[in-house]
Amino acid sequence: MSIERRSNRSHRDGDRPQAMTLRSLVGSSLLIIAVCTAAIALSGAVGGAAAQENVTAEFSYTPSDPVPDERVAFDTSASTASTTIDEYRWYVDGSRQYNDDPTLTREFDTYGEYDVRLEVEGENGTTAEQIRTVTVAGDGPTAAFEYDPASPVPDERVTFDAAQSDSSHGEIAEYRWYVEGSRQYNDDSKLTYEFDEYGEYDVELFIEDNGGKSDTVIRTVTVDADGPTADFTYDPAAPVPGDRVTFDASSSTSPEGEVAEYRWYVDGSRQYNDDPTLTYEFDEYGEYDVELFVKDNGGKSDTVIQTVSVDADGPTADFTYDPEAPVPDERVTFDAAGATSPEGEIVEYRWYVDGSRQYNDDPTLTREFDEYGEYDVELFVEDNGGKSDTLIQSVSVAGDGPTAEFDHAPSTPAPGEQVTFDAGPSTAPDGEIVEYRWYVDGSRQYNDDSTLTYEFDEYGEYDVELYVADNGGKSQTRTKTISVDGDGPRANFTFSPDSPEPSDRVIFDGSASTAPETEIVGYDWYINGESQYGDDTEFSYTFSEYGIYDVELEVEDSGGKTDRIVRTITVGDEADIVDNPEFELARDAPSTRSVEVRPGETGTFRAEIVAESLPVAESRLLVDGDVVANRSVESVTQRFSHDFTALGERNVELEVVGPAGRSATVEWTVRVQGDKPEIESVRPTTQRFDLMTGGTQTFGLTATSDQSPTLDYQWTVDGTPVGSTDTLEYTFAEAGMYTVAGTVTDAGGQTVSQTWNVSVSAFRSRPSFASQSTADQLSPGTESELFTFSIRNPDVNTQDANVEIITELPNGVSITGARDVSEGDAGLQALVGTVSPGSQDSMRLRLQVTDESLRGEELTIPYQIRYYPRDNPDQYAVFAEERLTVTVSPDRADETASPPTSDSTPGFTLTTALLSLLSISVLGRRSRNGN
């Protein structure tokens, strides 16, 4: 028995050969096993019959080397049998052919090797078989094509013909065309195609014959031609402002195509008229660059720029005014009817008086001049082309000024008497007096009437000045000297008892004093020249010692005149009174009032008595008001010593006291100072460190002093006292730089300090901000992304960060889409979601212009981006504060719908999600297909 062979055949399944499946392989194997088993069984069962019937199977086929779709004839005439062959069975690759004739005709679709099996059976059931492998082969096709025209231009119809393709052993069954890799859905042998633009294009032809073999050829087609030439004319050739100028691009050419696009620019500004002609009016004089851009149907372009000069004679400014000699407050009319503009028209008038703009832009101006003087009146005119001219004329406003004069009564007033001043005699021949000012001895009296009532408090001569000004601003001053005089007061007093003794209370009465023309307003009492701080009519005093005393009374009347009277009073019997000379005390040593000593040091204080003779007196030394030593005066020099032990400041007095209350004193300020305190330890030892807001820090000082029994502590934060013990616990509530100072002061006032610099921030590391995209144009009715940015909160931080946008939108612009942004066309606050430490988030803001009237406008949108710790917005910091300028598209033709600009914004976006779902779908499908 022959062994069955299998060969791989090429079958088309779409565009790919398909391998033999597992199912067909298993089926074939099982068939072989079954046949072999049956043959073995039959060999035993019919052994006897075989000996009597001999059958052989043999076949041939023509042609011997077939090609696909060629008819192949199989012939069994070579098969033999000792009897007769009753049955023929044909199999091709194991598939039963339902033709049981001695011959079989078959066509093979594709190239490959095919197993053809013949089974024959004799009349007694004896069988035989033969298997032969038929090879279907041949050369594959060759792809080739031509195209016409050979040098095409854009939009020209090009015919591609694959007639040159060849298939020597079959026929071409399929054509496929590709232009730049794009399948052209025309599977004929010819393709007609038009190229839109200049360039080189790869055209590919794929062919496949009836046996499944294929070939590909690629040819590069060059589409080229001379580009267009831009040219234009304009009329009129010498325009003036306001002229309608027509620009005509009909002279532009495109020799091998056609001009498909026109663009006009005036001084670089796009004119939204893409026709071959443009009509434009120039508002002002000047030279303008007019640019024409043309592009042909193949995408080649050309540009031409011509400079258009817009010029003409400018205007001439001229005006008259009436009256020609005005006075103050007279209405003056200025008329610019004489101003001319020979080649245009005057569109603007501006008036200036002494450089000050008058907000009346008409050809006439009415003006009143308040004051005398020369005024420069300027007329500025501007024509419709922007040329201007200026004329200045000087207007003189003149007239005689006022004369100041006044009377007063009474002519010689006394203090406190009411005086009336009258400016009635003042005159203003060419106007009227509009202002009066009164001055008394240069002091302005806030009564600006023509009369003034005034009372002089004191005797003396006073300059009274009258200032008058008329409505034109001219003024004059008149000054008169007013004498205020009268008899002054007379001082007099009595006392009781007449002969007082020490410790008696003596009453002094000054009511006998008189002031015939005024009144007494002050009483001053003195004993031995020393003021007793009594200012009443009566004064009481108790003399503690025997003696002779000078008692003095000074009185003052309401006019400021004074009088004095001195009386000598004897206290006690004259026999008991010591006749002491007057004396003074002069500082000798230390010679300065301030003295510094160390603890335990002895200070010596010395003073000299200055008198005609040595007084009978006692000297004493006082420290802080306490008498520490005293003795009788025995010499001119008075000397005392004192030991200072405690630190601090002491007031030292050396005093000499005589009878009858006479005394003299010299004072010193003694500062007892030792060594400064010493700081033994500080907490913390680092003088500069960082904290986060809300952090608490403990500061401490340990100081010692061998000489001071006590030490005072004072703590300040940025100069503000916050504590007075040796330690300070302080919580820093807000971010910033702080200076913490601890000061130790001893009893002598000497200090020593320690400072710390503390940096307090809301975050250990500042969050980072990155701007990723901003828009520069908005389109009405279309959503536009204004800006995008990302924020990262470093992982070293311990608290979340909030991010906020603050902006104010113009009317007609509204929020359409944003992350965590409140929508609307009013001012808004936008709070992004919390960014936790180590995380990054993004923020986008989209706008829409809802007001069509904003087309062509340039809008300024201010915004501020800030961050702060979560739940603590008062501690914010600013990332960025800017003003974004955007243009609203002026023409619908410029609006091209496009998706929002992609960027590298971190975070999980919708695009990422869709891509992820797509990937999962593809993987699942491949898994189900077993690939």
Side-chain angles (χ1 to χ4, degrees):
M1 179 180 291
S2 301
I3 295 178
E4 183 179 18
R5 301 191 308 274
R6 299 289 298 171
S7 63
N8 292 328
R9 295 176 300 166
S10 176
H11 293 281
R12 290 189 298 166
D13 183 8
D15 292 336
R16 293 177 173 267
Q18 180 173 340
M20 179 182 295
T21 65
L22 179 61
R23 178 181 297 175
S24 63
L25 182 61
V26 173
S28 299
S29 299
L30 291 176
L31 179 62
I32 293 171
I33 294 171
V35 171
C36 291
T37 303
I40 294 171
L42 288 173
S43 66
V46 297
Q52 298 175 1
E53 185 176 33
N54 186 20
V55 180
T56 62
E58 185 175 351
F59 69 89
S60 62
Y61 58 90
T62 59
S64 59
D65 52 351
V67 296
D69 294 333
E70 187 174 11
R71 184 179 296 271
V72 183
F74 296 89
D75 184 8
T76 64
S77 60
S79 299
T80 63
S82 58
T83 58
T84 60
I85 297 175
D86 286 346
E87 188 175 353
Y88 297 87
R89 292 189 290 272
W90 295 95
Y91 298 84
V92 178
D93 277 350
S95 177
R96 175 74 178 270
Q97 307 297 305
Y98 292 96
N99 179 10
D100 295 337
D101 296 332
T103 61
L104 171 69
T105 301
R106 168 70 187 262
E107 295 177 1
F108 298 93
D109 296 337
T110 59
Y111 297 98
E113 292 187 345
Y114 299 84
D115 287 339
V116 178
R117 178 161 58 93
L118 169 66
E119 285 185 4
V120 297
E121 183 177 341
E123 63 180 4
N124 295 326
T126 302
T127 63
E129 68 175 22
Q130 182 185 25
I131 299 175
R132 296 187 66 181
T133 298
V134 179
T135 299
V136 180
D139 295 332
T142 301
F145 68 88
E146 296 291 336
Y147 57 90
D148 183 62
S151 299
V153 297
D155 295 333
E156 187 173 12
R157 185 180 295 270
V158 184
T159 300
F160 297 87
D161 190 349
Q164 293 181 340
S165 299
D166 177 59
S167 179
S168 58
H169 289 90
E171 62 182 67
I172 298 175
E174 182 177 2
Y175 296 86
R176 290 189 218 153
W177 296 93
Y178 299 83
V179 178
E180 290 290 307
S182 176
R183 173 77 177 271
Q184 307 300 307
Y185 292 96
N186 176 12
D187 295 338
D188 297 332
S189 60
K190 289 186 179 182
L191 170 68
T192 300
Y193 191 85
E194 295 178 7
F195 297 93
D196 295 336
E197 298 181 357
Y198 297 98
E200 293 189 341
Y201 299 85
D202 287 337
V203 178
E204 176 183 349
L205 169 65
F206 168 89
I207 61 173
E208 186 176 349
D209 66 10
N210 58 323
K213 286 192 176 182
S214 62
D215 190 32
T216 298
V217 63
I218 298 175
R219 295 186 65 181
T220 298
V221 179
T222 300
V223 180
D224 198 10
D226 293 334
T229 300
D231 190 31
F232 68 89
T233 60
Y234 58 92
D235 183 63
V240 299
D243 274 356
R244 183 179 292 270
V245 183
T246 300
F247 297 88
D248 187 353
S250 60
S251 55
S252 299
T253 60
S254 180
E256 300 190 64
E258 61 182 68
V259 177
E261 183 178 358
Y262 298 85
R263 289 189 217 153
W264 296 93
Y265 299 83
V266 177
D267 275 351
S269 177
R270 173 78 178 272
Q271 306 302 306
Y272 291 94
N273 176 11
D274 295 337
D275 297 329
T277 60
L278 169 69
T279 301
Y280 191 85
E281 293 181 9
F282 297 94
D283 296 333
E284 299 181 357
Y285 298 98
E287 292 193 340
Y288 299 84
D289 288 336
V290 178
E291 176 183 348
L292 169 65
F293 168 91
V294 296
K295 182 163 69 172
D296 66 9
N297 56 320
K300 285 192 175 182
S301 61
D302 189 33
T303 298
V304 62
I305 298 175
Q306 295 190 48
T307 299
V308 178
S309 180
V310 180
D311 199 8
D313 292 334
T316 301
D318 191 21
F319 68 91
T320 60
Y321 59 93
D322 182 62
E324 296 182 355
V327 296
D329 295 333
E330 187 173 10
R331 185 180 293 268
V332 183
T333 300
F334 297 87
D335 189 352
T340 59
S341 179
E343 299 192 64
E345 61 178 313
I346 297 176
V347 295
E348 184 175 1
Y349 298 85
R350 290 188 218 152
W351 296 93
Y352 299 84
V353 177
D354 279 349
S356 177
R357 173 78 178 271
Q358 308 299 302
Y359 289 96
N360 176 12
D361 295 337
D362 296 329
T364 60
L365 169 69
T366 301
R367 168 68 191 259
E368 295 176 3
F369 297 94
D370 297 336
E371 299 180 357
Y372 300 99
E374 296 277 338
Y375 296 87
D376 287 335
V377 178
E378 176 183 348
L379 170 64
F380 168 90
V381 295
E382 184 176 338
D383 67 9
N384 57 320
K387 284 192 175 181
S388 61
D389 189 35
T390 298
L391 174 65
I392 299 175
Q393 296 190 51
S394 182
V395 178
S396 179
V397 180
D400 293 332
T403 300
E405 187 59 69
F406 66 92
D407 297 326
H408 69 283
S411 59
T412 306
E417 189 173 9
Q418 192 170 79
V419 184
T420 299
F421 298 90
D422 186 358
S426 299
T427 60
D430 288 323
E432 60 179 312
I433 297 176
V434 296
E435 184 177 4
Y436 298 87
R437 291 187 213 155
W438 296 93
Y439 298 84
V440 177
D441 274 352
S443 176
R444 173 78 178 272
Q445 306 303 305
Y446 290 95
N447 177 12
D448 294 338
D449 297 331
S450 59
T451 60
L452 171 68
T453 300
Y454 191 83
E455 293 181 7
F456 296 94
D457 296 333
E458 300 180 356
Y459 299 99
E461 291 191 341
Y462 298 86
D463 288 335
V464 177
E465 177 184 341
L466 169 64
Y467 166 91
V468 296
D470 66 7
N471 58 321
K474 286 189 174 182
S475 62
Q476 191 182 59
T477 299
R478 176 77 164 94
T479 302
K480 291 183 178 181
T481 300
I482 309 299
S483 294
V484 179
D485 202 2
D487 295 332
R490 294 290 181 263
N492 194 10
F493 69 91
T494 61
F495 60 92
S496 175
D498 296 337
S499 300
E501 295 290 330
S503 300
D504 283 349
R505 183 169 179 267
V506 182
I507 303 298
F508 298 90
D509 185 359
S511 61
S513 301
T514 60
E517 298 189 62
T518 57
E519 60 178 327
I520 297 176
V521 295
Y523 296 83
D524 290 318
W525 299 91
Y526 300 87
I527 296 178
N528 286 345
E530 185 175 341
S531 176
Q532 299 305 303
Y533 302 103
D535 54 4
D536 293 332
T537 307
E538 287 189 352
F539 166 65
S540 64
Y541 189 82
T542 301
F543 297 93
S544 59
E545 298 179 359
Y546 296 98
I548 299 173
Y549 297 87
D550 290 335
V551 178
E552 177 183 354
L553 170 63
E554 180 181 76
V555 295
E556 182 178 1
D557 68 8
S558 58
K561 285 190 175 183
T562 61
D563 188 40
R564 288 186 176 217
I565 184 172
V566 179
R567 292 187 177 179
T568 300
I569 297 177
T570 300
V571 178
D573 294 336
E574 293 185 4
D576 297 328
I577 297 173
V578 176
D579 188 13
N580 241 357
E582 293 184 359
F583 60 87
E584 294 179 357
L585 198 59
R587 180 185 291 110
D588 184 12
S591 60
T592 58
R593 175 163 183 151
S594 296
V595 182
E596 291 186 2
V597 298
R598 293 183 63 80
E601 185 177 348
T602 299
T604 300
F605 304 91
R606 192 168 62 242
E608 298 286 332
I609 297 174
V610 180
E612 294 180 357
S613 60
L614 193 65
V616 176
E618 180 185 70
S619 63
R620 55 188 180 179
L621 185 70
L622 297 89
V623 177
D624 288 341
D626 297 329
V627 178
V628 297
N630 65 313
R631 66 172 71 94
S632 298
V633 173
E634 297 178 352
S635 65
V636 173
T637 300
Q638 301 301 306
R639 182 179 182 275
F640 289 93
S641 296
H642 183 73
D643 295 333
F644 296 92
T645 57
L647 298 176
E649 189 173 279
R650 305 286 181 264
N651 184 49
V652 177
E653 298 173 85
L654 196 159
E655 184 180 38
V656 175
V657 180
R662 297 185 186 276
S663 65
T665 304
V666 175
E667 295 184 11
W668 289 268
T669 299
V670 179
R671 185 182 298 274
V672 184
Q673 289 186 338
D675 295 331
K676 284 186 176 182
E678 293 184 358
I679 295 179
E680 291 187 342
S681 64
V682 297
R683 301 186 306 279
T685 57
T686 302
Q687 292 182 303
R688 182 181 181 88
F689 55 90
D690 298 330
L691 288 176
M692 293 182 62
T693 51
T696 300
Q697 178 66 43
T698 300
F699 301 87
L701 284 177
T702 301
T704 60
S705 174
D706 295 336
Q707 298 160 330
S708 178
T710 61
L711 295 175
D712 292 331
Y713 292 84
Q714 179 71 43
W715 295 93
T716 62
V717 176
D718 287 344
T720 301
V722 292
S724 57
T725 62
D726 58 353
T727 59
L728 170 69
E729 187 175 89
Y730 191 80
T731 300
F732 296 89
E734 297 183 359
M737 289 295 300
Y738 296 85
T739 299
V740 179
T743 303
V744 182
T745 305
D746 66 10
Q750 296 201 99
T751 63
V752 62
S753 299
Q754 174 69 36
T755 61
W756 293 265
N757 293 319
V758 184
S759 175
V760 180
S761 64
F763 299 93
R764 289 196 176 112
S765 178
R766 171 188 168 101
S768 60
F769 161 84
S771 177
Q772 294 168 330
S773 66
T774 55
D776 57 5
Q777 189 176 69
L778 302 177
S779 298
T782 303
E783 180 180 296
S784 301
E785 189 166 287
L786 182 64
F787 55 72
T788 304
F789 62 90
S790 64
I791 310 97
R792 180 170 183 81
N793 190 2
D795 54 10
V796 298
N797 291 333
T798 60
Q799 58 181 322
D800 298 335
N802 283 350
V803 180
E804 186 178 70
I805 298 178
I806 298 176
T807 185
E808 184 175 357
L809 296 178
N811 291 330
V813 180
S814 63
I815 299 294
T816 59
R819 179 174 177 185
D820 296 326
V821 177
S822 59
E823 299 185 8
D825 59 358
L828 62 92
Q829 281 194 342
L831 184 66
V832 76
T834 301
V835 183
S836 58
S839 298
Q840 182 167 308
D841 211 339
S842 62
M843 190 169 183
R844 297 178 177 87
L845 184 62
R846 296 188 179 94
L847 303 179
Q848 183 173 358
V849 178
T850 58
D851 187 352
E852 287 286 332
S853 67
L854 294 178
R855 287 188 179 274
E857 295 290 330
E858 187 175 84
L859 306 179
T860 299
I861 302 177
Y863 68 93
Q864 183 187 84
I865 304 173
R866 56 172 65 170
Y867 72 96
Y868 53 85
R870 184 180 181 182
D871 300 328
N872 201 351
D874 291 336
Q875 296 183 15
Y876 72 87
V878 176
F879 273 133
E881 187 168 12
E882 298 181 6
R883 300 175 70 86
L884 186 62
T885 300
V886 296
T887 302
V888 181
S889 174
D891 196 321
R892 295 182 184 274
D894 286 348
E895 297 171 11
T896 302
S898 61
T901 306
S902 63
D903 56 63
S904 59
T905 306
F908 191 79
T909 64
L910 179 60
T911 303
T912 308
L914 291 174
L915 289 175
S916 299
L917 291 173
L918 180 61
S919 299
I920 293 170
S921 174
V922 172
L923 288 173
R925 187 180 233 176
R926 292 184 62 184
S927 175
R928 289 196 301 272
N929 291 338
N931 294 329

